[in-house]
Amino acid sequence: MSSEMGHSHATAERPRCRMDGDHLVGRWMQTCDPRLISRPDHFAYGRALPPVTGWYDYRICYRQSATERLRTLQAISWSWRPYSCALAPVRGADFDAWLGGRTILFLGDSLMAQAFYALLFLLGDAVVQTKDLYGYEVANTTTRGEIAMDTCHSNVGNEGGWLSEARLRGGGRLVKILRHQDLFSELRGVDQAWWLPQLREADIVVFNIGHHYHKEDPAFYKYRELADVALAQLGARMKPTAHLVFRTTNIGHHACQNATRPLRSREDAWKELTGSNRIYEWRPPQRTKRGAGLGVDMFRDKYNWRGPPLFETAWQDAARATPRLAGRFAVLNVSFLDMRSDGHVATSMRYSSSRGEGGPQKATFPLDCLHYCYPGPADFWALALYNLLRNNERYARS
């Protein structure tokens, strides 16, 4: 995706990152002059992105307007450079050979779906087919089918629906399960979840809870209980040899449309979301006399963006208390992306010609300062996962 990712080489001073925390101390470095990038998709993925339609077509931001193209060029000129190790660039053929006939399952919300599609784009010609499957999310139905696409097509503009699958040349599969608030009840009763068959087939499961959780439990009082129950259920129903990876959640950035470069530190990003000097301290949302809910910081963090990251240590604690997952659980910490206030969808959604069905025009929506553009910072979610899997022997085929 950039000169740092595309031309990094392991040396005695900078071995490959194992993603156990060795990658977190570093800086965002501008590795090229954005004015010299002629094709954002070729620069990032080595090929042209296919035509994209659907409600979220605007996440291919550079296609929306000349202004959005300039924003994208600026965003993709920055790469994360850890001080003590190097991030290996994504090589589709190498990943295909490493995966073999195994299956990786992505389970989570639209941000997890972005990581799924970013990885597909980075893998390039190693992906031979994608398909969206429908009807599987409905119990006891015979109305099931699929929409198959070759590499010249993509349904990323509609997030691929609830269930998507990509096949690699060597027979491996990448499967995406898109869930939002329903995921929390499903994790408490996995036997009733429609995606149980996909879970049982997976060799590696990558999941995230994300920002929808605060709608169910605004004070996060039951978060640890969810982690305990979910890991016990997942561990009992996955293959005995399957690995489970929890990916951490990144915060959003207000007024992201004005950002032209990464912030200097994660601390700077978090300071923007609270008026308190204790930026990593949690205060549960308050209630007014009329019963209306206020955010943790009503004006700066009205979406409670700091909530999930502050409580996600619960997953590591729950894993230690789950013997079935001994040696099979890992946390993929992507907090270095908190600095990326740039590269968000932001004003790109204003230029989209598609309006969806039965909904208001996108011009009336609040600017999206949580999701990222393709190409853009979302590619580093995929890059982080790639390095975790490829640079640790325990994920190799037995």
Side-chain angles (χ1 to χ4, degrees):
M1 172 183 172
S2 76
S3 57
E4 168 67 7
M5 291 165 57
H7 303 289
S8 59
H9 298 283
T11 67
E13 294 76 24
R14 296 183 67 212
R16 293 299 191 211
C17 296
R18 296 179 60 82
M19 313 305 289
D20 56 4
D22 56 353
H23 64 295
L24 295 177
V25 180
R27 68 186 178 99
W28 287 99
M29 182 176 69
Q30 193 167 33
T31 52
C32 71
D33 185 339
R35 294 172 297 181
L36 301 179
I37 304 173
S38 59
R39 291 284 302 271
D41 46 358
H42 282 252
F43 178 79
Y45 308 127
R47 63 191 181 103
L49 287 181
V52 171
T53 59
W55 181 256
Y56 303 107
D57 59 351
Y58 54 78
R59 290 179 186 166
I60 313 293
C61 303
Y62 73 91
R63 289 179 175 169
Q64 305 308 315
S65 74
T67 300
E68 297 307 313
R69 182 184 181 84
L70 290 175
R71 281 206 315 122
T72 294
L73 294 178
Q74 186 70 22
I76 64 177
S77 69
W78 294 87
S79 292
W80 179 246
R81 183 184 178 98
Y83 293 141
S84 64
C85 61
L87 294 171
V90 175
R91 306 293 191 198
D94 292 347
F95 187 83
D96 184 20
W98 167 85
L99 184 62
R102 295 180 295 168
T103 297
I104 300 177
L105 173 65
F106 292 75
L107 176 62
D109 62 13
S110 54
L111 297 183
M112 182 60 75
Q114 283 210 283
F116 169 80
Y117 283 108
L119 182 57
L120 296 190
F121 294 151
L122 287 166
L123 290 174
D125 291 341
V127 179
V128 294
Q129 184 189 63
T130 60
K131 57 184 178 181
D132 300 326
L133 297 95
Y134 58 87
Y136 289 81
E137 72 281 6
V138 181
N140 301 319
T141 180
T142 57
T143 309
R144 291 181 174 177
E146 63 181 51
I147 302 172
M149 292 159 281
D150 59 24
T151 55
C152 295
H153 299 83
S154 173
N155 203 15
V156 64
N158 280 323
E159 297 182 330
W162 302 121
L163 174 59
S164 302
E165 176 185 299
R167 287 194 174 271
L168 276 59
R169 292 188 181 278
R173 297 188 305 149
L174 305 180
V175 178
K176 181 219 71 191
I177 304 291
L178 178 64
R179 308 304 291 146
H180 296 113
Q181 203 164 341
D182 290 339
L183 178 60
F184 315 131
S185 59
E186 291 168 350
L187 286 173
R188 292 187 174 98
V190 174
D191 283 336
Q192 284 71 51
W194 62 264
W195 41 264
L196 178 60
Q198 287 75 30
L199 176 71
R200 285 178 167 158
E201 294 174 353
D203 298 284
I204 299 170
V205 178
V206 185
F207 78 108
N208 173 265
I209 294 300
H211 290 287
H212 289 276
Y213 182 82
H214 79 90
K215 297 177 183 178
E216 176 175 297
D217 178 18
F220 287 77
Y221 289 139
K222 300 178 181 179
Y223 194 87
R224 172 57 196 270
E225 177 265 337
L226 172 64
D228 288 334
V229 172
L231 291 194
Q233 298 235 353
L234 293 172
R237 288 152 184 83
M238 292 164 51
K239 292 179 180 179
T241 56
H243 289 271
L244 186 63
V245 177
F246 177 82
R247 198 202 74 194
T248 61
T249 303
N250 294 110
I251 60 172
H253 306 86
H254 293 302
C256 64
Q257 71 274 17
N258 299 322
T260 58
R261 57 171 292 159
L263 296 169
R264 294 187 180 278
S265 70
R266 184 173 182 241
E267 182 181 11
D268 287 345
W270 281 60
K271 283 180 179 177
E272 295 296 320
L273 296 178
T274 179
S276 170
N277 291 328
R278 300 177 177 179
I279 60 175
Y280 301 116
E281 181 181 86
W282 177 255
R283 290 183 299 154
Q286 305 299 309
R287 291 282 175 181
T288 65
K289 292 181 180 180
R290 295 181 179 180
L294 298 180
V296 178
D297 194 311
M298 180 179 177
F299 299 104
R300 294 196 179 187
D301 193 12
K302 61 182 180 179
Y303 300 117
N304 294 339
W305 278 336
R306 292 184 305 134
L310 286 174
F311 287 87
E312 286 175 340
T313 55
W315 295 97
Q316 188 71 70
D317 295 337
R320 294 191 187 100
T322 308
R324 288 179 182 269
L325 290 176
R328 298 196 292 139
F329 178 84
V331 172
L332 179 58
N333 190 327
V334 292
S335 58
F336 63 95
L337 274 153
D338 284 352
M339 295 177 238
R340 294 308 301 264
S341 57
D342 62 322
H344 283 290
V345 168
T347 50
S348 176
M349 60 199 299
R350 297 288 192 257
Y351 296 98
S352 172
S353 59
S354 64
R355 299 299 188 212
E357 296 180 4
Q361 292 188 356
K362 295 170 189 173
T364 67
F365 282 15
L367 293 182
D368 187 346
C369 287
L370 186 60
H371 297 85
Y372 285 109
C373 299
Y374 302 106
D379 296 327
F380 283 88
W381 286 328
L383 181 72
L385 177 62
Y386 179 89
N387 276 264
L388 174 72
L389 299 179
R390 294 288 283 115
N391 299 341
N392 289 276
E393 187 63 29
R394 65 173 170 165
Y395 298 111
R397 281 187 286 170
S398 58

